[in-house]
Structures are given as structure tokens and as C-alpha cells.
Amino acid sequence: MTLWKRFLTNRGALLGLAILIAVIAVALLAPVLYPRGPWAMVQRPFLVPFSTDGLPLGTDTLGRDVLAGLVYGARVSLLVGLVSTLMALLIGVPLGALAGFYGKWVDEGAMRFTEFFQTIPNFALAIVLVAILEPTLTSITIAIAIVSWPPVARLVRAEVMSVTKREYVDAARLAGLSNLSILVRQVLPNTVSPIIVMASLMVATAILLESSLSFLGLGDPNIMSWGFQIGAARTVIRSAWWLSFFPGVAIVLTVLALNLIGEGLNDALNPHLSRKGRS
Amino acid sequence: MKLLKATTFLVAASMATGAVAQQDGGRLDLIVQPEPPSLMLGLVQNAPTQMVAGQIYEGLLRYNTDLEPQPSLAKEWSISEDGMTYTFILNEGVTWHDGEPFSSEDVIFSTKFLQDNHARFRGAFSHVESVEAPDANTIVITMKEPYGPFINAFEAGSMPIVPKHIYEGTDYATNEMNATPIGTGPYEFVEWEKGSYIHLTKNEDYYLDGLPHIDDLYYRVVPDAASRAVAFETGEVDVLPGGAVENWDVARLTEMDNVCSSSKGWEFFAPHAWMWLNNREGPTADKRFRQAVMFAMDREFVKDVVWNGFGTVPTGPVSSKTNFYTDDVPQYPYDPEKAKELLDEMGYDGTPVRLLPLPYGETWQRWAEAVKQNLGEVGVEVEIDSADVAGWNEKTANWDYDMAFTYLYQYGDPALGVARNYVESQIKKGSPWNNVEGYVNPELDALWEQAAVEPDNEKRQELYTEIQQQIVEDVPVAWLLEIEFPTIYRCNVKNLITTGIGLNDGLRDAWIEE
């Protein structure tokens, strides 16, 4: 069976994929659906969901359409999730690969550096970074990337170390390939599958981190995001439950979708592992 | 004669309380937010300090909600006809909380103490020639020139009387008694559990017979607004001072049984909210842009939605609660079309402007979002900056902003709380409370000066009317709201708010109905 077929036989993964595609579609269509943007004050504040035509999820404290906020929030969540994960990979993969491939002092140096970041709690570090850089979309993305790369580096290092010991790497060495070309052409391609799985889960974590930061008021004040919606609704949670409920559902669904996809990819990329796990 | 006096007192008292006999005893739990940095009112005068220390220290006078002077440490006072001499007769038999007798010497000492430590006091007393004490119960203040607003400068926050026997000859700032303040007020300091509560107890030797009524006051420190609302709901606290909970909670809390609310008790401060508009550079330097901002904002909407209907949309720099207010000024109703016309006329090129909200919670954040949206609709792109309290202070004090939210107190008189934001002599980097916008109008500066020392109140009114008319035309800042902070309390707490500064000195007369 090919990778794709194995993935498609996994019902959870399919469901995850469907949700994710829907979220992406909504995010892309946001300006078409709501040309006035998420901040427009369209109706009386605190309209209950399903009570007014055209405002299925009601309005918030300033009379803004909650659904419009959700739709635009999807853009921010996905953007932050993807970009910060990409950045984390760009830091973590080369560092881990070099450490695992060259070993010795390179490994020592890289790993101590990684540990330095790992010993500081993720979220605390993200808060400090955002507070220092002033909260903007860019600084939040960078902060999330900076706190997310260490596990990538460690994973890649371990994978590279184990692959480097295989016979075909020895063969490549005997064939006279340079270290760099062995690392890039022979070793790294064989570590891709766990990285992909990890990356899909990292996107989910990044979305959660962004939401938590916005919830605490450390989001970009010019950008409507799910975390911001919940944070702003916190003070009125007793009287207007829907303001925090729907963005919460959106976060749960998106993160769940990404986890299901990650799981599916994991099973599809490591068929032996998954069968062992299930028997 | 004595009997007659006692009767009038009783009649007055029963009228004030709806003919119910006052009861003694009980314990009152109040919120103080945020935790004050110190309780030594002579050294620190920020809002939470005054809320607690206003029960410990007293001024010579208090002010009722119409801002008329009332007796406090001074039982009688008079102003000479030329406005040059103020005479105060002090109450007799007043003692400090440690038992030492209080006398006019303490008042004289306090004027020296405050001269070094209290900017607002210094301002008011710059018009004073001398302070003398002919005897132990009399104070005579001689002025350099008549200064109308002077009579408004004697409440506990503007001029707290501090004990000479404790502070004389010491370094005030490091005196260890600052931690256990000694005043003459109706309540004495007992204990301060940092991060948790401040406990005050009844001053048994208070010089007014029968006052205060309540045995113990606990000022509770609860850092989170939602938790403060819950503490009130569960009955843990009895009084939520204005601003202690988010506006959206006010309606819900006041619907509970036995819960009353009042927006009185802020008349003296008359908190006035506006946006600093940087008059020096950028689009906000153009008067037409500033006028456009006024027309573009739907201020009624913000009042109704963000402030839950509390407050008043101001007409200009002077609050309608402050003396010498006039509404005879150019008006700025919500008119986006007019705003667009003005922007076209000036040839606004679409330069985005930065907006710095006040970091005081969700209300202010929502407010900034509403302004951003309003301005966006007339074609002005607004980027909201973010900053914590320290960052906000620094940015406004160093003029690093295009538009910035703020609100300031007016202290009953334009000369005390308004002029400082519009006269050229108050343009000084480093303070977020002076003429931060950089408005320069020498013609008006002269009028401000003239109005402050004009002894005749009618003439003062004329001068202030002229000032308000011109300044509203120029829009040096964008006036947003006369803020009202509703105090929420259990209805069985009586006489809680009796003065123009409300809870800040009002616990003297409060009592609890069982």
C-alpha cells in the first residue's frame, strides 16, 4: 500500500483532514464572506446566538459579529501555527542534524544550547519574549518558534544518529561522498517521516500558544484571533457565554484535526509500528 | 442654647438618614484596587492610597457633593472680602491616634511637610504669602493675591494634616512610622497584610460625638476584576468602589437582592477622559484633523455600550460637574460625513496614526477598538499600540504617541485640574499629567492666568466661558467622556457616600443596618 492509501484508510485522519480543509477554506474566504472585516460594529451588543438573522453566533461586547471574528481568527491561527512551525523547523532541523551527524563537541555544544532553552518553561519564555518585543503578529510568531524548536532538534539528532550507523551511509562514505552531501542526500531524507508527524502536532501547539498569549492580553491588539475573542469575553463569561464558547470550539476542533492528521501520518509513515501497536 | 443646638443636630441627622436611628457596630469589607503603595497620605496621593488613608488622615475641610466646603478639622472658617485672608477655627479636643493632642502647630508643620512632597499642594500654596497660628485653635492664611479656587484645596487628599510630633526633624520618606500611619481621622490603622487586606478600627476618642459608627474596616486586595465581582456576590465584600469591577458586571451585580449603586461621590474629582492628540507632528498637528476625529467618534455609543450608560459626553475641557462649566461652545456630534469633509479639506494623505489605549482593563481596550473602528470608517487607519502601565506613562510623558487615552481629575475648579493640561508653561517632558499634547496658545494662557486670580466669581465665569469656547474650537485633545464610576454596595450600608470624594473620606458617617 502506498502512503496515501494507508492514510486514507484511517478514519480519524480523514475526519481531521476534512475539518482542516474546511478551516483553511473559511480562512481563505474571510474577506469575501465579511468584506467589512471582523471589527465592524454591526448590531446591538450582546445579541444571543440564533436570535437575529445574519448573525448566527450573536454579537460581542461592542456589537461585532462573533462569526466574522471566528472566520478572521482562523486566518491568524493558521498563519501563526504554520509560520512559527516552519521557523522552528528551520532552527531545529539543521541544529539537530549537525549535532547528530558530527557528534563530539559539535553535539555537546548544540545540545547544551538546546537544553538552555528546554529548561525554561515554554509558555513563560514566550510571555517574556512577547512582552519584550511588544506584541505584534511577527513578534508572537517568532516567540512561538523560539520556544518550539528544541524538541525538533533533539528528535532530528536522535534520528540522524541512528540513520548514520546504517550500512548505506558507510557505503556512501566509501563511494567518496562529502560529509555534507551524505547528510543532506542520504541521511536527512530518511528522517523526514517523524519530523512531519512532529510538525503537524507543533502546528496544533502553536495555535494553542497563540491563543493563550492573546487570552492573557499579549496578542496583537490590531488582529482578531480566537484567543483574543476568549480573553475579551472572559469578563462577561457569566452573562454572555457564547462569546467565549464558539472561539473555544473553533480552537478545539482545529487542534483536534491537526492531532488526528498527525496520528494518521504517523501510522501511515510507520506501518510496522502502528500494526504492532494495535495487535 | 446648648439644647437648641443638639436638637438641630438631631433633626439634621435624621433627615440625612431617612429618619432611621443610626446603629453602631459591625464590620465592613471593601475592595481597594490596586493595592496602595503606602498609606502615608502626605507622601503618596494616588487613588488607592487616598481611599484607605482618607479615613486615617483628615484635612481642614471636606466638600459635599455640590462642592461646598463643610467642616472637618476646622469647625468654622471665613474669607476676608478682598479674598486675601483665610481664617480657620479648629475643633477642640482633637487628639492623634497615639493620644498626643492636635493643635494649630500641626497644621503649620503640615504646610511645610507638604511643600516638599505634594505637587498639587505646592501649586495651590504658591499663591500664599504666610501661614500663622495666633493660638492653638486658629490658623490664618494670608495670600499674595486673591485666588478663587483656594477654598477647594483643603480636603484630605489635597492637604492632609500630618503629625508634627512624629515627623519633625526626621527624614520624612524613611520615617519608620510611615508603615503605621498616625492621623486624626475616624479610623485607626491596625494591620496591613500585604497582598491580602488592610485593617482599620474605630477611633474611640474621635472628636465628633457618636462618630464613627462602624467598628472595623477591612480593605481587601483582590487583583482580578472577575474575582472581585465574585467576592461581592458571595458576600465576602460589602462595597465595590467605582472601577473595581468591569462595567459589564455592574448591571448584573446591581440586579442582586439588597444591592444598591450610586454614581455620586466623584463630583470633586470629576474624572474627565480624553485622547491626547499630538499637536506637534503627524496628521494630529492639523486642527482640521483633530476636529475630524471629534466628528468621527460615536461618543454616545461608547457611553451606552462600553460604559453601560454611565457618564456624560463632555462638551469640552471642563466637566459639567466642575465649577465654571459652560455648554455654550462649538458642538461635535457624531457626523462621519463632516469628518470626511474636513479630512478632504486638509488633504489628508492616509498616513496611519498610532493609538495608545490606557492599560486599565477590558473597558479601555474595547474603547480603543471602538475608536479605531470609527476612525477607520472615515478613512483614517489606526494602529493600536500596546503598553503596560509603566510603558504608557513613559510613552505619554515623552510624547511618543499620536493619540493616547487618559483620564484626569479636575478637583472642583478649572484652575486646579484643567489649566495644567492646556497652558504652555505646563509643557514639560517627563510627566503624563501636564500639557502632554503640546498645545500652545499664548492668548489663552493669559486668560487662564487672569481667571485664576480674579476674585469676582461672575467675572471668572466670563473668562472661563471664553476659554472653553476657544479651546473647543481648537480641539487640542479629543474629549471623550465625563466618567462616572458607580459604587456598588449592600443597601443596608447607610450614609456611605456623603461627600464630593465619596468613599475617600466618607466612612466617617457610614453605618450598618442590622
Side-chain angles (χ1 to χ4, degrees):
Chain A
M1 272 202 295
T2 64
L3 167 78
W4 185 236
K5 273 188 183 159
R6 281 200 299 269
F7 184 80
L8 289 184
T9 51
N10 184 332
R11 264 188 241 155
L14 267 186
L15 178 68
L17 196 61
I19 298 175
L20 188 65
I21 289 173
V23 175
I24 292 173
V26 161
L28 290 176
L29 288 176
V32 182
L33 294 170
Y34 293 100
R36 288 184 67 197
W39 301 97
M41 295 172 279
V42 292
Q43 251 286 7
R44 275 187 300 121
F46 295 118
L47 284 178
V48 181
F50 313 116
S51 67
T52 315
D53 282 344
L55 296 166
L57 300 188
T59 56
D60 74 356
T61 41
L62 285 185
R64 300 178 292 220
D65 187 343
V66 174
L67 186 58
L70 277 188
V71 168
Y72 278 87
R75 296 167 79 101
V76 176
S77 292
L78 290 179
L79 191 71
V80 170
L82 286 174
V83 175
S84 67
T85 302
L86 266 179
M87 288 170 69
L89 290 179
L90 283 177
I91 309 172
V93 171
L95 201 69
L98 290 176
F101 191 75
Y102 288 101
K104 299 195 186 125
W105 63 267
V106 180
D107 187 26
E108 281 293 318
M111 283 306 107
R112 293 303 83 81
F113 183 63
T114 310
E115 275 159 14
F116 173 75
F117 280 90
Q118 277 193 308
T119 47
I120 308 171
N122 266 359
F123 192 50
L125 181 57
I127 290 179
V128 171
L129 286 172
V130 172
I132 294 174
L133 296 173
E134 291 206 353
T136 62
L137 197 56
T138 319
S139 72
I140 291 167
T141 312
I142 292 174
I144 294 176
I146 288 178
V147 301
S148 333
W149 66 266
V152 181
R154 298 204 79 101
L155 174 81
V156 172
R157 168 178 174 268
E159 287 292 318
V160 167
M161 277 175 123
S162 97
V163 171
T164 314
K165 294 199 182 80
R166 306 264 166 91
E167 283 95 351
Y168 66 82
V169 177
D170 289 340
R173 250 189 250 282
L174 284 174
L177 289 182
S178 70
N179 271 344
L180 188 68
S181 123
I182 293 175
L183 178 59
V184 176
R185 298 222 188 117
Q186 309 295 328
V187 178
L188 274 183
N190 286 297
T191 62
V192 162
S193 46
I195 296 179
I196 289 180
V197 173
M198 185 176 227
S200 68
L201 298 175
M202 278 169 63
V203 176
T205 320
I207 290 177
L208 283 177
L209 263 176
E210 189 278 330
S211 302
S212 315
L213 286 172
S214 301
F215 173 79
L216 291 178
L218 285 168
D220 185 332
N222 295 295
I223 283 167
M224 181 67 84
S225 79
W226 294 337
F228 164 82
Q229 284 188 300
I230 300 179
R234 190 172 52 102
T235 45
V236 291
I237 196 164
R238 304 273 300 278
S239 47
W241 56 270
W242 62 93
L243 295 186
S244 35
F245 178 77
F246 292 114
V249 169
I251 293 175
V252 168
L253 282 179
T254 311
V255 170
L256 179 73
L258 285 162
N259 275 293
L260 287 172
I261 292 171
E263 192 95 331
L265 282 173
N266 195 23
D267 289 357
L269 292 167
N270 301 302
H272 306 292
L273 235 169
S274 74
R275 242 168 264 148
K276 235 183 280 168
R278 278 190 196 144
S279 57
Chain B
M1 190 61 199
K2 229 177 186 175
L3 189 71
L4 189 69
K5 259 192 179 162
T7 331
T8 22
F9 173 73
L10 276 178
V11 169
S14 60
M15 268 162 60
T17 60
V20 182
Q22 284 140 335
Q23 295 170 356
D24 282 350
R27 152 183 175 161
L28 196 64
D29 287 79
L30 307 93
I31 287 287
V32 60
Q33 158 61 25
E35 185 161 23
S38 158
L39 291 180
M40 176 47 200
L41 193 52
L43 295 173
V44 180
Q45 294 94 28
N46 69 12
T49 298
Q50 193 172 350
M51 175 149 311
V52 181
Q55 325 304 331
I56 301 171
Y57 293 98
E58 290 182 304
L60 291 181
L61 300 174
R62 310 164 96 210
Y63 300 91
N64 66 12
T65 52
D66 293 324
L67 303 183
E68 293 157 354
Q70 305 290 316
S72 184
L73 276 173
K75 60 180 177 185
E76 287 164 32
W77 61 96
S78 58
I79 309 171
S80 66
E81 252 173 49
D82 58 1
M84 294 295 281
T85 314
Y86 289 66
T87 309
F88 296 88
I89 310 294
L90 305 177
N91 270 300
E92 282 158 43
V94 180
T95 57
W96 294 96
H97 293 158
D98 57 4
E100 294 285 324
F102 158 85
S103 79
S104 54
E105 285 298 309
D106 290 302
V107 179
I108 303 253
F109 173 76
S110 296
T111 59
K112 291 174 192 148
F113 182 103
L114 297 171
Q115 198 68 253
D116 299 334
N117 294 295
H118 193 322
R120 202 148 47 78
F121 174 88
R122 213 162 32 232
F125 262 64
S126 63
H127 303 270
V128 168
E129 178 70 41
S130 69
V131 186
E132 281 154 32
D135 63 56
N137 290 310
T138 311
I139 291 287
V140 177
I141 301 177
T142 313
M143 310 294 289
K144 287 179 192 156
E145 63 218 338
Y147 182 57
F150 194 58
I151 192 63
N152 278 322
F154 293 96
E155 48 83 40
S158 304
M159 186 185 167
I161 303 302
V162 298
K164 180 182 181 184
H165 66 278
I166 288 176
Y167 286 99
E168 191 173 37
T170 69
D171 178 14
Y172 307 148
T174 57
N175 191 317
E176 59 187 28
M177 288 301 285
N178 291 339
T180 52
I182 298 287
T184 55
Y187 293 91
E188 302 178 7
F189 175 83
V190 181
E191 185 189 14
W192 184 352
E193 186 74 41
K194 290 264 156 86
S196 181
Y197 64 85
I198 299 166
H199 178 195
L200 308 185
T201 190
K202 180 177 185 169
N203 175 3
E204 297 288 353
D205 299 320
Y206 194 59
Y207 55 88
L208 294 176
D209 280 344
L211 292 177
H213 299 291
I214 300 169
D215 287 339
D216 291 284
L217 302 179
Y218 285 86
Y219 285 91
R220 311 279 290 262
V221 180
V222 182
D224 174 63
S227 312
R228 290 194 285 274
V230 170
F232 184 79
E233 278 174 284
T234 56
E236 207 182 312
V237 299
D238 310 302
V239 180
L240 293 171
V245 295
E246 298 285 352
N247 289 321
W248 292 281
D249 272 337
V250 171
R252 184 167 59 82
L253 294 175
T254 47
E255 276 163 19
M256 291 165 53
D257 285 344
N258 189 32
V259 171
C260 292
S261 74
S262 166
S263 52
K264 287 203 161 284
W266 287 88
E267 293 79 4
F268 185 77
F269 296 132
H272 211 62
W274 65 79
M275 276 194 299
W276 296 118
L277 302 175
N278 200 328
N279 285 219
R280 300 175 187 84
E281 55 189 15
T284 46
D286 192 309
K287 178 169 123 181
R288 287 165 295 185
F289 185 89
R290 301 197 298 266
Q291 289 174 334
V293 168
M294 287 295 278
F295 282 118
M297 290 189 301
D298 191 349
R299 296 181 291 165
E300 287 288 343
F301 171 85
V302 165
K303 186 196 98 180
D304 290 338
V305 169
V306 179
W307 289 88
N308 254 353
F310 291 107
T312 313
V313 173
T315 55
V318 180
S319 166
S320 60
K321 297 178 189 70
T322 303
N323 296 325
F324 306 109
Y325 162 79
T326 178
D327 60 1
D328 180 19
V329 294
Q331 303 292 318
Y332 295 93
Y334 175 50
D335 189 348
E337 291 311 314
K338 181 96 187 163
K340 281 184 202 161
E341 273 170 38
L342 282 162
L343 292 173
D344 280 346
E345 192 190 314
M346 74 172 268
Y348 170 60
D349 58 358
T351 320
V353 288
R354 295 171 297 158
L355 170 60
L356 187 63
L358 205 52
Y360 287 178
E362 296 295 320
T363 301
W364 294 87
Q365 202 62 38
R366 293 297 88 70
W367 199 349
E369 288 161 19
V371 167
K372 175 188 160 111
Q373 188 62 25
N374 276 162
L375 292 182
E377 275 160 20
V378 298
V380 177
E381 194 191 326
V382 176
E383 285 160 22
I384 299 183
D385 273 351
S386 46
D388 55 11
V389 177
W392 180 92
N393 275 338
E394 202 206 294
K395 282 187 177 180
T396 46
N398 292 307
W399 310 337
D400 176 18
Y401 70 94
D402 294 328
M403 306 194 293
F405 275 77
T406 193
Y407 75 90
L408 287 178
Y409 292 165
Q410 304 220 318
Y411 304 110
D413 194 289
L416 295 177
V418 182
R420 57 179 171 162
N421 302 122
Y422 305 100
V423 295
E424 192 179 353
S425 59
Q426 285 285 347
I427 300 181
K428 277 188 207 111
K429 257 194 187 176
S431 161
W433 299 290
N434 56 20
N435 185 348
V436 169
E437 79 274 15
Y439 176 63
V440 181
N441 187 336
E443 205 181 310
L444 283 190
D445 284 359
L447 288 181
W448 282 113
E449 220 162 284
Q450 203 186 333
V453 297
E454 170 60 56
D456 181 55
N457 274 347
E458 256 173 57
K459 283 195 191 132
R460 284 195 82 198
Q461 179 68 62
E462 276 169 31
L463 289 166
Y464 282 124
T465 302
E466 195 182 335
I467 290 173
Q468 288 174 63
Q469 284 165 343
Q470 284 202 38
I471 228 167
V472 171
E473 166 69 24
D474 280 349
V475 197
V477 304
W479 302 284
L480 297 168
L481 188 71
E482 294 173 8
I483 300 178
E484 270 176 18
F485 291 116
T487 304
I488 305 173
Y489 58 98
R490 311 262 172 238
C491 293
N492 62 336
V493 183
K494 307 288 183 189
N495 268 9
L496 190 59
I497 298 169
T498 50
T499 69
I501 60 173
L503 292 181
N504 292 297
D505 66 357
L507 275 302
R508 186 187 88 175
D509 302 295
W511 57 282
I512 302 169
E513 188 178 51
E514 290 301 324

